[in-house]
Amino acid sequence: MKAVVMAGGFGTRIQPLTNSRPKPMLPVFNKPMMEHTMMTLKDLGITEFIVLLYFKPEIIKDYFGDGSDFGIKITYVVPDDDYGTAGAVKLAQEYIGDENFIIISGDLVTDFDFQKIFDYHAEKNSKLTITLTSVDNPLEFGVVIANEEGKIEKFLEKPSWGEVFSDTINTGIYIIEPEILEYIPKNENYDFGKDLFPKLMREGVDLMAGYSEGYWRDVGNPESYRDVYDDILTGKVKFKIDGKKTELPDGVLYSNETYDFDKSVEFVGTVVLGKNVTLKKGVKLNNVVVGDNVTIGKECKIRNTVIWNNVDIHSNVKLDACVICNDNKIGKNVAANAGMILAEGCEIGQLTKVEKDVTIWPDKVIEDASIVSHSLILGSKYKNSIFENGLVIGQSNVELSCEMATKLAESFATQLPIGVTVLVSRDYHKNSRMLKRAFLGGLLSAGINVIDYRDISSSVLRCSLSSNAEYAAGVHFRQKLDDPTSTVITFYNDEALRINNDVSKKIEKAFFKETFRRVDYSNIGEIHESDHANEYTVYKDGMKALLKAHAYKCTDCRVAVDMMHGMASEVFPEILNDLGVDNIMFNAHPDVHRLANINSLVNQTTQDMSAVIQALKLDAGFILYPYGQRLDLVCDKGTVLGKQSSLYVVLSLLEMEAKKTGIKKSVFLPTWAADIVYFENLDVERGQYANFKSEDMKQYDLVATGEGNFTFTEFATHRDSMFASLKILEMLLEHDVTLSSIIESFPEFYYETIKVACSQALKGKMMRMFLEDAKGKESSTLDGVKIWLDTHDWILMIPDQYSDHLNLYIQAENNEKGQEILATYIAKIEEWSKL
């Protein structure tokens, strides 16, 4: 028998514990929930597992690998969309084969006797057995009734109390014969409870009820997570606790390491210790589970509490019924009453008191002697800096609530004169729509008029903003590309560029001090809606006026374009057709589900584009990322170009343009862009890519980031993947070259960008150490610290402004030298961190 493990959920209800990990990876006694379940099945002889992933799949893959370290074999299946519970299993059909299998969730804790479940399925000669159990509150589950023979007669998914007809519920544990998979349609959203079970019953397939007694808990929220620990520690669950068991006068200690603590350290009840745990004098632990690399200071009293990894607790701290996540610091004399949940990366100052049942979300800094009486949802960035380069990013309906959006709008509007007009737009995601509507109310209350563009590409909004002097600013709402639970709000000035740091600080000051402008009722702003027709016309006409339409029509050229379900699909196909660009279009329609798993979408897109371009012998491919800025190029041989290769292709084309006209082209690149190739007819300036003004941008023919973003200033002073695609294609046709021929002319070299973890407190030290290391070498401090190790070999270190890591950029003449530079400086950073 094989096991199919459902491990793809977002874990929304259990936030903030799932801030950086999928729910199946939440630790229970220092191991992921999912591992406990899989090892239980392994003990019964199941060694082949098929794991269905979706949310943050790389975390589960990195931990379990191929399963060999755990004595099992794991095959991963990552759907490219949300296909529902049964639909996801259908995708794994080829790996399941022709034997029966068990389906189980990766985020539950149970002590069921699985052998009895297997035996019952065989005894009844069942095609599909649903494991049932009784619970006190069946409202969150599927209620089931079976007859005396075990045949299921009725079930109801998540009933109201008025609909409850039993306390016997569906546990989500199924034993299934392989022929049942034929009843599930492929590549459709199909659910076990809502779709498959009713269909089987209609077609006369008996569903058998395998009733199980014992402990079963779906860990759906922080309270249930805490309850699991309480249930295990108080013996309600048959649970194997790893580690050597040591009987003590008042309790039991489990640990795989040998510790020699001071005699004053006291253990009561059940205590579990991970690796590298330090307990100082006078510590008392009562029913506590401690992870790895944890220090607990003198005279701390901790009971009924879970502590994850890398936690530093200072002296005389009192914690009761708490969950302390990774990477937290708790100052001395802190007291937390029953129920605190401290998400990762927080710092609680000394003498702080936390009231009952408070949840503190990630990266929060609590000042000394604070009294925290309510949950703190907003991260520390909202304490010191709401904005990141003109953007506000937060979890939808949590960090970025409607209240937050309204306050933000009021703070922004207060910086503008009464009566001016602001453009506001969004993507098609429902979170963006909700937050935008709340934002509009804040603008109106401060006397700002609004033109509501509703769902439109940010490129079109910026074009409209930059071409109309009467518009004072613009704001665009969109789903975060790599995190579908979050929303990004982008603020533009009257030049259609992101607001700079000075404006951001003024908005933040108004936000925190709540110094909003509330106008008289007669001056409240008005909303005017746009039907997009005028905006699209201005955008298209501006583009056509600059491009040589005949260049596309008079050549035998054909390209592939993937819109990646972005808003540009509303206008770009028409522009291509008007210009006479022969094209094959992919993904030119809205699809929230596909965008929810961007990595899967990117993988599928690149595979499809490569295959189609090779098969049909197309001239090029353009992948436009959903929000109108990043552009990936695919050459005529089907190769998807890397970011630096794409940059060099565009620079090479500009070089041809400049050589043909006899006029040098001016280019601005950030300090981290590759510079191994010299362009004789280009004036290339490198510098800090931040706080540009429109007049600065217009000095250059091209401003690029080296990350797939291109600003051709003849059209606009902001990034625009639509115009960039057409401009690149125009230059290819003008000079009668192919992308592959340009690429082949480049030398092979090493270029790598990596992130290295580094706390905020160490960033200044890292700058100092890099500067000391630069002595005697050619170096630059234009942006971060850049050190040349040879003519073309360099490393650039820029501390990230907003998160706890360093950005390292490395260029070298070949892979061997590049890898050597990387290894050398990773080792140096580790060494410097310890000094």
Side-chain angles (χ1 to χ4, degrees):
M1 178 182 285
K2 296 178 182 177
V4 175
V5 183
M6 311 291 285
F10 286 97
T12 304
R13 290 185 298 132
I14 203 169
Q15 291 175 346
L17 299 181
T18 50
N19 178 65
S20 65
R21 67 185 67 201
K23 188 165 61 165
M25 295 301 290
L26 292 181
V28 172
F29 284 72
N30 296 334
K31 287 185 178 180
M33 281 191 285
M34 183 173 158
E35 182 179 348
H36 290 290
T37 301
M38 293 169 77
M39 293 304 100
T40 298
L41 294 176
K42 177 196 170 189
D43 290 343
L44 294 174
I46 296 178
T47 58
E48 291 191 48
F49 290 81
I50 299 160
V51 180
L52 302 182
L53 305 176
Y54 194 66
F55 179 62
K56 299 189 176 180
E58 67 283 351
I59 293 176
I60 294 177
K61 287 182 178 180
D62 289 346
Y63 182 85
F64 288 101
D66 63 3
S68 57
D69 290 345
F70 299 84
I72 57 178
K73 177 185 176 183
I74 299 178
T75 300
Y76 297 102
V77 176
V78 185
D80 60 357
D81 202 344
D82 181 4
Y83 291 113
T85 51
V89 173
K90 178 71 173 181
L91 296 178
Q93 185 171 6
E94 64 178 293
Y95 306 110
I96 291 171
D98 56 1
E99 57 183 319
N100 62 14
F101 59 97
I102 181 173
I103 292 179
I104 192 165
S105 173
D107 53 11
L108 61 81
V109 175
T110 183
D111 61 7
F112 284 169
D113 186 336
F114 284 98
Q115 190 58 57
K116 284 187 177 180
I117 297 173
F118 302 153
D119 294 344
Y120 178 84
H121 178 79
E123 175 192 331
K124 294 292 184 178
N125 196 26
S126 173
K127 298 296 183 186
L128 193 156
T129 301
I130 301 174
T131 304
L132 310 180
T133 198
S134 297
V135 295
D136 293 334
N137 184 354
L139 296 186
E140 289 299 313
F141 311 103
V143 176
V144 181
I145 285 183
N147 65 18
E148 292 180 357
E149 297 174 352
K151 178 182 174 182
I152 293 173
E153 296 181 328
K154 188 177 182 182
F155 56 86
L156 184 66
E157 284 293 304
K158 298 185 178 180
S160 66
W161 274 119
E163 297 173 305
V164 168
F165 47 75
S166 171
D167 67 348
T168 305
I169 61 102
N170 175 4
T171 64
I173 301 171
Y174 312 130
I175 311 295
I176 300 179
E177 296 299 315
E179 56 262 38
I180 292 296
L181 294 174
E182 300 304 324
Y183 291 89
I184 304 173
K186 193 170 183 179
N187 295 329
E188 287 186 25
N189 191 296
Y190 211 72
D191 188 75
F192 280 114
K194 295 177 183 177
D195 302 306
L196 180 62
F197 297 161
K199 180 178 182 178
L200 293 173
M201 293 178 75
R202 287 193 304 269
E203 299 199 11
V205 178
D206 290 345
L207 306 181
M208 303 306 295
Y211 187 84
S212 288
E213 293 183 344
Y215 184 88
W216 176 90
R217 183 182 286 275
D218 169 44
V219 185
N221 55 53
E223 290 72 29
S224 63
Y225 178 73
R226 194 163 39 210
D227 289 343
V228 162
Y229 275 88
D230 184 59
D231 292 341
I232 294 172
L233 292 170
T234 54
K236 294 180 182 178
V237 192
K238 296 175 185 175
F239 190 88
K240 180 183 176 183
I241 301 176
D242 288 343
K244 180 183 176 183
K245 182 178 178 181
T246 304
E247 298 283 351
L248 300 169
D250 297 312
V252 181
L253 173 66
Y254 291 88
S255 177
N256 282 317
E257 291 203 355
T258 301
Y259 289 106
D260 183 19
F261 298 120
D262 188 87
K263 293 181 180 179
S264 61
V265 173
E266 187 177 356
F267 300 104
V268 179
T270 302
V271 177
V272 179
L273 300 182
K275 301 173 184 176
N276 192 29
V277 175
T278 301
L279 304 179
K280 298 188 178 179
K281 290 182 179 180
V283 168
K284 181 177 181 180
L285 302 182
N286 182 350
N287 282 346
V288 176
V289 177
V290 181
D292 299 340
N293 306 315
V294 174
T295 298
I296 301 177
K298 294 179 180 178
E299 303 299 328
C300 287
K301 304 293 184 283
I302 301 175
R303 64 190 295 267
N304 300 329
T305 289
V306 182
I307 301 172
W308 292 5
N309 300 332
N310 305 313
V311 175
D312 187 8
I313 300 174
H314 292 196
S315 61
N316 200 33
V317 169
K318 294 178 174 58
L319 303 177
D320 183 16
C322 298
V323 177
I324 311 297
C325 297
N326 290 345
D327 305 310
N328 281 303
K329 295 181 180 179
I330 301 176
K332 60 185 180 182
N333 298 308
V334 168
N337 291 331
M340 179 181 76
I341 293 175
L342 185 64
E344 60 194 358
C346 296
E347 186 172 342
I348 299 183
Q350 60 184 345
L351 296 168
T352 292
K353 181 179 180 182
V354 183
E355 300 291 357
K356 185 177 179 181
D357 292 331
V358 161
T359 298
I360 300 175
W361 280 66
D363 306 316
K364 189 68 180 173
V365 176
I366 310 295
E367 295 179 354
D368 293 350
S370 297
I371 297 176
V372 184
S373 58
H374 60 278
S375 293
L376 301 176
I377 294 176
L378 304 181
S380 65
K381 60 186 178 184
Y382 292 143
K383 180 179 180 66
N384 303 312
S385 175
I386 300 175
F387 285 89
E388 298 182 14
N389 293 323
L391 309 175
V392 176
I393 305 170
Q395 287 190 299
S396 309
N397 218 25
V398 180
E399 292 174 309
L400 278 180
S401 62
C402 288
E403 178 187 13
M404 167 72 175
T406 302
K407 284 180 63 177
L408 193 57
E410 292 175 312
S411 306
F412 176 55
T414 301
Q415 314 309 315
L416 302 171
I418 294 174
V420 300
T421 299
V422 171
L423 308 181
V424 184
S425 63
R426 59 169 173 82
D427 65 7
Y428 51 75
H429 200 276
K430 61 183 179 181
N431 293 344
S432 305
R433 180 188 291 110
M434 175 191 73
L435 293 172
K436 192 206 73 175
R437 289 182 176 179
F439 191 88
L440 293 182
L443 293 179
L444 300 179
S445 73
I448 302 300
N449 296 315
V450 174
I451 298 181
D452 183 2
Y453 279 0
R454 303 187 309 282
D455 53 334
I456 201 170
S457 168
S458 61
S459 296
V460 180
L461 171 112
R462 296 175 81 173
C463 176
S464 183
L465 180 57
S466 61
S467 60
N468 289 276
E470 65 269 27
Y471 300 151
V475 183
H476 184 73
F477 292 74
R478 65 170 174 85
Q479 184 186 34
K480 193 170 188 289
L481 198 55
D482 57 354
D483 179 8
T485 67
S486 296
T487 298
V488 180
I489 310 176
T490 309
F491 291 75
Y492 302 112
N493 61 21
D494 58 343
E495 296 180 329
L497 300 175
R498 290 186 198 173
I499 59 172
N500 61 32
N501 291 339
D502 290 340
V503 176
S504 298
K505 294 298 182 188
K506 290 177 182 178
I507 298 170
E508 288 166 0
K509 184 176 180 181
F511 180 91
F512 291 120
K513 291 189 174 183
E514 297 194 350
T515 53
F516 312 134
R517 180 180 66 217
R518 302 277 170 76
V519 298
D520 179 79
Y521 77 96
S522 61
N523 289 321
I524 288 174
E526 296 180 352
I527 296 179
H528 304 279
E529 291 193 349
S530 167
D531 61 2
H532 297 175
N534 181 61
E535 288 71 40
Y536 282 155
T537 299
V538 170
Y539 183 72
K540 290 186 291 187
D541 289 349
M543 198 174 288
K544 292 175 192 175
L546 290 169
L547 297 167
K548 302 168 186 174
H550 65 85
Y552 308 108
K553 294 177 179 177
C554 298
T555 57
D556 183 17
C557 174
R558 198 177 186 204
V559 299
V561 181
D562 196 312
M563 305 303 299
M564 291 186 73
H565 306 292
M567 298 301 303
S569 60
E570 296 288 325
V571 63
F572 198 46
E574 186 177 342
I575 294 173
L576 291 172
N577 291 334
D578 288 351
L579 289 171
V581 179
D582 192 0
N583 67 89
I584 297 174
M585 187 72 62
F586 295 90
N587 297 323
H589 61 277
D591 194 326
V592 171
H593 296 300
R594 294 293 302 280
L595 286 181
N597 193 338
I598 189 63
N599 291 330
S600 176
L601 176 58
V602 169
N603 290 337
Q604 190 65 55
T605 289
T606 52
Q607 289 175 24
D608 291 347
M609 290 282 279
S610 179
V612 168
I613 287 171
Q614 290 182 76
L616 300 181
K617 297 183 174 15
L618 305 183
D619 295 277
F622 300 93
I623 301 174
L624 281 66
Y625 276 64
Y627 302 117
Q629 296 186 6
R630 179 176 164 183
L631 171 68
D632 281 357
L633 302 178
V634 188
C635 83
D636 46 293
K637 292 185 178 179
T639 304
V640 180
L641 307 191
K643 294 175 183 177
Q644 293 302 311
S645 295
S646 293
L647 175 61
Y648 271 164
V649 161
V650 174
L651 293 177
S652 296
L653 290 169
L654 270 185
E655 168 82 1
M656 296 175 196
E657 289 269 288
K659 187 175 181 179
K660 183 176 180 179
T661 61
I663 303 172
K664 279 198 170 188
K665 298 282 186 180
S666 183
V667 178
F668 181 90
L669 301 176
T671 52
W672 61 78
D675 59 5
I676 207 161
V677 177
Y678 173 71
F679 297 95
E680 185 178 351
N681 295 287
L682 300 182
D683 285 328
V684 180
E685 178 184 336
R686 286 177 166 80
Q688 190 173 30
Y689 190 84
N691 292 330
F692 271 110
K693 293 182 179 179
S694 182
E695 60 190 45
D696 300 327
M697 301 278 282
K698 289 176 181 177
Q699 298 175 26
Y700 308 100
D701 297 288
L702 171 70
V703 178
T705 65
E707 297 179 336
N709 300 314
F710 303 99
T711 302
F712 289 95
T713 59
E714 63 180 299
F715 176 66
T717 55
H718 55 263
R719 309 166 183 175
D720 188 320
S721 58
M722 287 185 273
F723 183 81
S725 299
L726 289 167
K727 184 64 180 177
I728 292 167
L729 181 58
E730 180 187 70
M731 290 190 290
L732 285 170
L733 297 174
E734 182 80 13
H735 301 287
D736 193 23
V737 292
T738 62
L739 289 174
S740 60
S741 66
I742 297 175
I743 297 164
E744 288 165 2
S745 69
F746 299 150
E748 290 189 9
F749 66 99
Y750 176 93
Y751 183 91
E752 191 68 49
T753 301
I754 65 166
K755 298 179 184 295
V756 178
C758 178
S759 68
Q760 196 76 16
L762 283 176
K763 287 179 181 177
K765 180 180 181 181
M766 286 301 115
M767 287 288 285
R768 174 168 55 83
M769 299 308 292
F770 261 82
L771 282 170
E772 289 181 7
D773 190 76
K775 288 179 180 177
K777 306 182 185 86
E778 183 183 355
S779 63
S780 168
T781 55
L782 188 62
D783 189 11
V785 180
K786 190 172 187 177
I787 303 172
W788 277 266
L789 305 168
D790 207 335
T791 305
H792 296 298
D793 301 351
W794 50 256
I795 181 169
L796 168 64
M797 186 277 293
I798 304 177
D800 195 90
Q801 185 176 353
Y802 303 104
S803 62
D804 289 344
H805 68 264
L806 307 174
N807 297 300
L808 295 185
Y809 307 87
I810 299 167
Q811 176 183 286
E813 287 184 336
N814 55 58
N815 283 342
E816 184 179 351
K817 293 177 75 174
Q819 293 288 352
E820 183 182 343
I821 294 169
L822 175 60
T824 298
Y825 276 88
I826 290 293
K828 286 185 177 185
I829 290 170
E830 290 179 0
E831 181 183 341
W832 294 336
S833 299
K834 297 173 184 176
L835 296 178

